[in-house]
Amino acid sequence: MRIDVINTLPDFTRLEENWNAVYDADPDAQLFMSWKWLSAWLGQISSPWFVLGAKASEKADAPYVAFLPLRIQTKLENARFHNELNMAGNFSADYTGILCAPGLEHQAIPAFARHLKRMNWARLNLENIRMSEPRIRLLLAHFPKASFQTSEINRIGKVDNIDNNLCPFAALPPDWNAYLDMLSANTRQKIRRLLRLVDETGEYRITVATSETIERDLNTLLRFWEVKWTPRKGDLVHTLIRSNRAMLTRSFRADLLFLPTLWKEDRPLAALATLIDKRKRSFLFYMTGRDETFDGPPPGVILHAHSIRHAIANGFTEYDFLRGNETYKYSFGVKERRIRFVMIGTKNGLNLGGRLDQRTIPDVLQEATELHQKGKLVEAEHGYRQIMEIQPKNADAIHRLGQLLVSKGDHAGAKRLFKTLTGIRPEIYKPWLCLAQSCDALGHHLEAVSAYREVIRLKPDLPEAFSSLAATLVKLGRIEDVNMALVAAIGRVESVPQMNGREPKTRRVINGSIAQGEAAAV
């Protein structure tokens, strides 16, 4: 198998036809692995992502037969950064997995595993994996206990005891009455009675989101959802609302969202977001929100029953309640499937190969800089040095590490870094200024003088450079040179064109300071 790495949206876009062919053939495929859903989601996430594509031939124009979408995160642990691989759909997809043409699993999945083991990561999180057991076993076999730590997480809510690894779903017959016959007599009568309220009375009605109403209906859904979950989730609610709004908006634009809202006259009572997989003929209930102050017919039951009836009328064959074995789901004639969350980690907790994934260097630099600003120097220093292990000429990491060493009093170490930096950015004055200051602190005054002169050449209007140069020359006892430097400074007068037709003004250096005003004799 040949493995390619796809990591840009244009390249992913070009995969659509090939992806859909594999998706349609794969019995394990589900909406969150569809090209439509992923193409909307990948453009939304901030961390680096990539897709491993497997070909059964080395020919460049050969079609892909399997796909594994992943994303990379950076974590700080024990004062060192490491990388974690997550499924690309996390943290919005209820299901993840591997797409593979039937019959090629034994070639494609081992090839994916071999590629993963050549990458730099400390943990591989196979979260919300919905795949057949043979496929999962085939993947895990390539991460033996002798070399990796493997653990499985069962996510059972501490507050409500909900098992989020269990996923109820209803297999839908082609006829609505046949579906009702699958339910208990009480549930069947209840659903018929509740739907009559919507169909016949006029007091209650259901609208379905359109391009004109999607913003209003999403606001209704998310406002109700926020009221329900804020007491349990706290400030995390705001992040989840932003993420869900973006994902559901993109899903609507991709024709993947069914969003009915229940009203009593002009009062919205509840809204229900369901994702639509037309290729696999499946409805996937994603989230709901309802007015918790309403004391009347159960809005959730009405909207689920309406959605199931709509799904059957349009030829869909499955209504998936996704993660969580909440009791109410079992009144809709469901079966269960179990998904898994398997964590694979390195024995020492460090990245394979002992290096960061190069794609995460911008993230590490940002985090190290924030740690530096907060005074967490040990962690920041490790971050800068980990970057430089991969990119020895990363100017930002070198500069910031040099500044960090200065704050620790390690001027010798800082000098080495700033000298390197002047070779990388010789045309910028700041590295020369930092080098001069470190030389000064070490008593290397001749080197400091040379660096200050370079600063003045590059930035002649910087007062600090002249005053520091003069002070260093004094330390060397070179008074005549101080006078020469002062004369040279006084002579540096340059015209600065002014706006609005005014006469040009001049900028003068007086006693090491820049003054701006009319030209005058010194």
Side-chain angles (χ1 to χ4, degrees):
M1 283 277 168
R2 164 180 165 168
I3 302 297
D4 292 337
V5 178
I6 300 100
N7 55 16
T8 69
L9 283 175
D11 286 343
F12 185 79
T13 299
R14 284 189 282 272
L15 291 176
E16 182 177 6
E17 184 177 350
N18 190 170
W19 191 287
N20 287 339
V22 177
Y23 185 86
D24 292 343
D26 187 353
D28 279 356
Q30 37 72 27
L31 177 80
F32 298 106
M33 289 291 291
S34 68
W35 183 91
K36 261 195 171 185
W37 190 89
L38 278 171
S39 62
W41 172 244
L42 293 177
Q44 180 178 320
I45 62 179
S46 58
S47 58
W49 60 267
F50 62 95
V51 175
L52 298 183
K55 291 184 175 182
S57 167
E58 287 293 330
K59 294 181 179 179
D61 59 349
Y64 291 104
V65 298
F67 298 102
L68 172 56
L70 296 163
R71 63 189 297 187
I72 316 170
Q73 285 195 306
T74 301
K75 295 290 182 71
L76 179 66
E77 215 168 90
N78 299 322
R80 287 186 64 85
F81 289 94
H82 69 261
N83 296 123
E84 296 190 4
L85 297 183
N86 295 283
M87 308 304 288
N90 298 145
F91 305 94
S92 192
D94 275 46
Y95 301 145
T96 61
I98 294 174
L99 279 188
C100 187
L104 294 173
E105 297 92 336
H106 287 274
Q107 289 83 30
I109 292 178
F112 286 149
R114 288 191 294 270
H115 185 93
L116 291 173
K117 287 192 287 188
R118 290 193 295 269
M119 293 176 58
N120 306 115
W121 51 269
R123 189 171 296 153
L124 170 60
N125 298 313
L126 304 174
E127 185 174 359
N128 298 343
I129 287 285
R130 182 182 142 183
M131 291 198 306
S132 63
E133 273 303 307
R135 286 190 182 185
I136 293 177
R137 287 197 300 270
L138 184 59
L139 178 63
L140 296 181
H142 289 269
F143 299 94
K145 292 182 180 179
S147 305
F148 296 91
Q149 301 181 80
T150 303
S151 58
E152 187 151 3
I153 297 177
N154 293 313
R155 289 167 299 178
I156 299 177
K158 294 180 180 179
V159 176
D160 51 20
N161 207 38
I162 298 299
D163 187 343
N164 284 295
N165 285 351
L166 282 179
C167 307
F169 68 97
L172 303 180
D175 177 75
W176 170 242
N177 287 321
Y179 168 74
L180 291 176
D181 288 341
M182 295 165 47
L183 311 181
S184 69
N186 286 340
T187 301
R188 183 164 57 249
Q189 293 171 7
K190 180 179 181 180
I191 286 177
R192 282 176 169 152
R193 174 173 53 83
L194 291 174
L195 287 181
R196 277 199 298 271
L197 289 176
V198 176
D199 296 339
E200 299 174 4
T201 66
E203 183 180 12
Y204 295 92
R205 61 192 173 94
I206 292 176
T207 61
V208 177
T210 65
S211 56
E212 289 76 25
T213 68
I214 182 62
E215 186 173 355
R216 178 201 68 186
D217 296 341
L218 271 180
N219 286 339
T220 299
L221 168 69
L222 295 172
R223 184 177 72 250
F224 288 156
W225 189 89
E226 180 179 11
V227 171
K228 166 83 172 174
W229 291 102
T230 294
R232 184 180 303 184
K233 297 183 182 293
D235 291 341
L236 180 60
V237 159
H238 305 299
T239 301
L240 294 172
I241 286 175
R242 284 195 301 271
S243 175
N244 282 320
R245 181 185 298 278
M247 190 278 285
L248 292 173
T249 299
R250 288 173 180 262
S251 295
F252 179 81
R253 291 171 183 164
D255 195 26
L256 296 176
L257 182 65
F258 181 70
L259 177 54
T261 301
L262 175 66
W263 304 72
K264 183 178 182 181
E265 297 174 344
D266 292 330
R267 176 186 176 183
L269 301 178
L272 187 151
T274 301
L275 298 171
I276 308 169
D277 187 349
K278 294 181 180 179
R279 307 191 78 91
K280 293 294 183 181
R281 314 305 299 163
S282 179
F283 264 39
L284 300 92
F285 160 58
Y286 189 75
M287 67 186 301
T288 188
R290 67 183 181 88
D291 185 344
E292 299 288 334
T293 67
F294 176 67
D295 184 18
V301 176
I302 294 174
L303 286 176
H304 278 298
H306 173 82
S307 297
I308 292 172
R309 184 174 65 176
H310 176 87
I312 291 172
N314 286 275
F316 288 82
T317 58
E318 184 175 280
Y319 192 85
D320 193 336
F321 285 91
L322 298 180
R323 293 183 296 131
N325 63 339
E326 290 91 340
T327 302
Y328 78 88
K329 296 177 180 179
Y330 289 82
S331 63
F332 289 94
V334 298
K335 303 174 184 177
E336 287 180 342
R337 62 169 60 95
R338 178 172 284 276
I339 59 174
R340 297 176 66 177
F341 183 176
V342 181
M343 290 173 45
I344 301 170
T346 57
K347 288 284 189 179
N348 59 8
L350 303 178
N351 275 10
L352 293 173
R355 297 156 66 94
L356 290 171
D357 188 299
Q358 187 152 333
R359 287 164 287 200
T360 62
I361 284 179
D363 295 332
V364 175
L365 181 63
Q366 180 180 337
E367 291 191 44
T369 302
E370 291 171 359
L371 291 166
H372 189 171
Q373 292 167 343
K374 293 175 183 176
K376 297 183 178 181
L377 302 187
V378 173
E379 294 88 343
E381 181 173 348
H382 277 312
Y384 295 142
R385 293 193 184 280
Q386 284 181 271
I387 292 170
M388 290 163 58
E389 287 173 3
I390 306 169
Q391 294 182 353
K393 293 187 177 182
N394 186 298
D396 290 324
I398 293 170
H399 188 195
R400 292 168 201 181
L401 178 57
Q403 292 176 317
L404 186 152
L405 295 183
V406 167
S407 70
K408 291 171 58 177
D410 182 3
H411 297 289
K415 176 187 171 183
R416 287 192 294 272
L417 290 169
F418 293 137
K419 194 166 186 176
T420 299
L421 192 58
T422 60
I424 299 170
R425 291 179 169 174
E427 75 290 351
I428 298 176
Y429 81 91
K430 285 186 178 180
W432 291 102
L433 181 60
C434 291
L435 175 61
Q437 291 167 339
S438 290
C439 290
D440 243 346
L442 290 166
H444 301 166
H445 300 311
L446 285 174
E447 292 180 79
V449 166
S450 177
Y452 281 131
R453 291 189 187 280
E454 193 63 23
V455 174
I456 293 169
R457 185 183 71 81
L458 294 167
K459 185 76 171 172
D461 57 352
L462 186 69
E464 180 183 357
F466 290 101
S467 58
S468 297
L469 173 59
T472 305
L473 289 170
V474 168
K475 293 174 188 175
L476 289 169
R478 291 165 55 175
I479 304 302
E480 290 185 3
D481 287 343
V482 173
N483 292 332
M484 290 175 63
L486 181 58
V487 170
I490 293 172
R492 290 176 181 272
V493 179
E494 53 182 330
S495 293
V496 181
Q498 301 297 305
M499 301 298 292
N500 303 323
R502 296 178 183 175
E503 288 298 317
K505 292 188 177 182
T506 61
R507 192 166 49 185
R508 318 186 268 121
V509 180
I510 303 177
N511 295 331
S513 298
I514 298 293
Q516 186 166 312
E518 299 299 330
V522 177

